[in-house]
Amino acid sequence: MDSLTEPEASHPLATYGWNAGIEADFAPYAAKGLSPGRVVRVERGLCEVVAPAADGRSTVLLGSDPNPVAPRDPMWAVCAGDWVALDRDTEPPAIRALLPRRTAFVRSTSTKRSEGQVLAANVDHAVIAVSLAVELELERIERFLALAWECGAQPMVVMTKSDLVDDEQTLDHLASDIRGAAPNVPVLAVSARTGHGLDTLRSHVSHGTSVLLGQSGAGKSTLANVLVGEEIQEVRAARDSDGKGRHTTTRRDLLLLSGGGTLIDTPGLRGVGLWDAADGLAMLFSEIEELAASCRFHDCSHTSEPRCAVLAAVEEGEISRRRLESFRKLTAENEWIGERIDARQREQVRRDWKRGS
């Protein structure tokens, strides 16, 4: 661990991730008399921030107004995990600035506009919860993984409700299927009911900040409660008809974990749209990217071109056809959203030029 990321153990926000790098980023605001804080939740235009208490040794949770730094671009709206500079002379305390984000987990919004939505900021690990009570959706897992790699977080796939699987052989097959879609990513089976795998998961998230992702009914709230060590998130049973749950978690919360580290729990995500994830896709489909370098044409689409190394690997069984089809689909989607982003940025430049003329 380098000097910029070593925790400042004496600082009241150390358990929330405060370190020398954040202290350096905050220094200009400290000179202005502002206080540091970390956003633990945002809801209905207000947010809660944990900040040093008056005694300088403990922390206090403050209700804050995020409006001064909440621009029209949702990419820069305050979110759980952000480090902020607080003006505590106002009522309620006001956020005057966001500190630079080291990482940000971003998906495209469900609106018709080409915008990104930051689900969690300053995360080190992305824990993707996948319920074994329903059929695996490998492409959905790949979407989460691409966005995790893109943001700079280290992903991990957690198969929840493993006690519902009758035998180890079936569990191994399911894990193998996920590993085929998640190369170089840890895959762990856990059960909150039996405790299976939970110690390994606790160890994985015991340092830094983790974001917990997945569909409704994946068991995220149950996992969050286990990791925190108390019933802090409401849990509802999944529907018997399809194994899916209702949106128990309706906001993003940053929680302190009993074994160290912090966790950002998120609502169940129905849609996982890619957002400027070229690097994340390259890491997710690294085996295809490596083979593509041997294709006859440098712009090979891996569909029907002669001497395509990727198609040859599919024919020989080295890469599954499903995997290649997923690569094509997600790459095309990411290129499409990239074109939309570029078009929006060009339009913004045009509007700014007209206002200035």
Side-chain angles (χ1 to χ4, degrees), residues 61-229:
L61 197 62
L62 303 171
S64 302
D65 177 10
N67 289 328
V69 292
R72 293 180 180 179
D73 187 346
M75 287 283 285
W76 291 104
V78 179
C79 74
D82 271 324
W83 289 96
V84 298
L86 279 173
D87 182 352
R88 295 172 68 168
D89 292 333
T90 65
E91 184 56 45
I95 295 175
R96 297 304 185 197
L98 288 182
L99 272 61
R101 289 169 172 162
R102 294 181 296 103
T103 61
F105 192 96
V106 184
R107 69 164 179 174
S108 63
T109 62
S110 57
T111 65
K112 293 182 179 179
R113 298 184 62 188
S114 302
E115 294 178 334
Q117 177 191 25
V118 181
L119 296 180
N122 300 307
V123 296
D124 304 287
H125 314 284
V127 179
I128 302 161
V130 179
S131 173
L132 295 182
V134 295
E135 186 175 352
L136 293 179
E137 294 184 59
L138 296 179
E139 186 190 307
R140 181 179 292 272
I141 296 172
E142 287 169 335
R143 287 174 175 273
F144 279 118
L145 290 169
L147 295 177
W149 283 126
E150 183 67 33
C151 90
Q154 293 296 313
M156 178 185 204
V157 179
V158 174
M159 303 186 299
T160 64
K161 309 179 185 180
S162 63
D163 54 283
L164 299 180
V165 179
D166 294 334
D167 60 273
E168 286 295 324
Q169 186 175 14
T170 301
L171 192 61
D172 289 343
H173 283 315
L174 291 169
S176 179
D177 287 343
I178 293 177
R179 290 190 183 98
N184 305 313
V185 174
V187 178
L188 176 66
V190 303
S191 169
R193 188 176 69 83
T194 67
H196 175 72
L198 292 179
D199 286 344
T200 301
L201 179 58
R202 287 190 185 95
S203 176
H204 185 81
V205 299
S206 63
H207 59 282
T209 297
S210 303
V211 58
L212 186 56
L213 303 154
Q215 287 183 283
S216 295
K220 299 188 307 300
S221 295
T222 301
L223 279 185
N225 288 337
V226 168
L227 295 171
V228 171

